[in-house]
Amino acid sequence: AQKVTQAQTEISVVEKEDVTLDCVYETRDTTYYLFWYKQPPSGELVFLIRRNSFDEQNEISGRYSWNFQKSTSSFNFTITASQVVDSAVYFCALSGGDYKLSFGAGTTVTVRA
Amino acid sequence: ETGVTQTPRHLVMGMTNKKSLKCEQHLGHNAMYWYKQSAKKPLELMFVYNFKEQTENNSVPSRFSPECPNSSHLFLHLHTLQPEDSALYLCASSQERRTLNSYTFGSGTRLTVV
């Protein structure tokens, strides 16, 4: 069975602050993918990143960065210098040998001007 | 503009009504999915279609009936729903079921059952 835990329900920050979203996963598969999606108020889930289980390199894309640590089964996401447009619900997800995409409960990020 | 289009965006229906949700994608994907997103809960996978064949039904009540006439279109037929069925229903697609590809999601249909 697979499980994704996002312990933070809501995070509120002031613009330009950094915010880190935690994601811890459980799986017995040796090959799996981890994802982060953003859900703005409009509703659609926007794909942000996919990382496979064999690639533990951290990744940076603009103000976004991801820290994958297999030893702690974590795939954390940091937004640097947050902006109001970053306000959304962020979901961490896992897809393993059963090819199902299992989502965490999501973290609501509110960036105040 | 998302590659997956869902209509309607909002739907209010009575418990005795029959309605349908529509999902359309022209991404060349062969797998399509229905997810239910209720408040404060993780997204729940409802149905999976791969090459037009239903491959998964996650114990969804029979008042939800999916239909996939071709790889580009997916419907969710609704009848005699309950108030607890009120949720955001999201459609997604991927290249095919048994790959670890990224999914493309639609904007969802916000359903309210009164």
Side-chain angles (χ1 to χ4, degrees):
Chain A
Q2 297 173 156
K3 186 178 177 182
V4 178
T5 301
Q6 294 179 255
Q8 304 147 307
T9 307
E10 297 181 23
I11 299 176
S12 182
V13 297
V14 176
E15 218 171 9
K16 297 184 184 176
E17 286 185 357
D18 296 347
V19 56
T20 295
L21 310 181
D22 298 332
C23 173
V24 174
Y25 63 91
E26 296 174 30
T27 180
R28 293 182 180 176
D29 297 319
T30 54
T31 301
Y32 53 89
Y33 278 85
L34 294 161
F35 302 82
W36 275 96
Y37 283 88
K38 174 183 179 180
Q39 187 177 41
S42 51
E44 78 275 18
L45 282 163
V46 178
F47 167 78
L48 296 178
I49 190 172
R50 180 184 69 183
R51 171 69 69 212
N52 77 55
S53 51
F54 299 107
D55 182 2
E56 287 193 69
Q57 266 194 324
N58 291 330
E59 182 156 337
I60 298 175
S61 176
R63 295 185 296 106
Y64 295 169
S65 62
W66 290 271
N67 183 319
F68 176 28
Q69 292 197 343
K70 239 172 151 176
S71 59
T72 57
S73 298
S74 65
F75 186 43
N76 296 338
F77 171 34
T78 297
I79 304 172
T80 302
S82 60
Q83 300 175 2
V84 173
V85 293
D86 296 326
S87 297
V89 183
Y90 291 85
F91 291 94
C92 181
L94 166 69
S95 183
D98 63 0
Y99 303 95
K100 293 184 182 182
L101 192 61
S102 300
F103 285 87
T107 299
T108 300
V109 173
T110 302
V111 181
R112 309 186 307 276
Chain B
E1 184 68 33
T2 179
V4 177
T5 303
Q6 289 187 244
T7 54
R9 290 297 307 274
H10 301 273
L11 177 63
V12 179
M13 60 185 287
M15 290 190 283
T16 58
N17 290 159
K18 289 184 181 181
K19 297 286 185 183
S20 294
L21 310 185
K22 180 181 176 182
C23 176
E24 186 173 356
Q25 58 89 9
H26 295 288
L27 300 169
H29 290 169
N30 293 302
M32 295 186 79
Y33 312 79
W34 279 116
Y35 279 85
K36 176 183 179 183
Q37 185 178 17
S38 305
K40 310 296 184 187
K41 292 174 69 175
L43 277 79
E44 302 169 57
L45 179 63
M46 299 175 71
F47 301 104
V48 180
Y49 277 83
N50 198 35
F51 292 93
K52 300 189 298 178
E53 298 296 319
Q54 185 176 317
T55 57
E56 207 155 325
N57 175 341
N58 277 345
S59 304
V60 180
S62 58
R63 57 185 183 269
F64 294 92
S65 174
E67 179 191 2
C68 189
N70 54 61
S71 290
S72 298
H73 294 86
L74 183 66
F75 295 90
L76 187 62
H77 304 299
L78 316 170
H79 63 98
T80 58
L81 294 191
Q82 304 298 311
E84 60 264 28
D85 296 322
S86 298
L88 180 68
Y89 289 86
L90 288 161
C91 173
S93 69
S94 66
Q95 283 188 317
E96 61 178 276
R97 182 72 182 96
R98 296 190 70 77
T99 60
L100 296 174
N101 287 321
S102 307
Y103 289 29
T104 301
F105 283 84
S107 297
T109 294
R110 175 73 61 186
L111 173 67
T112 304
V113 181
V114 297

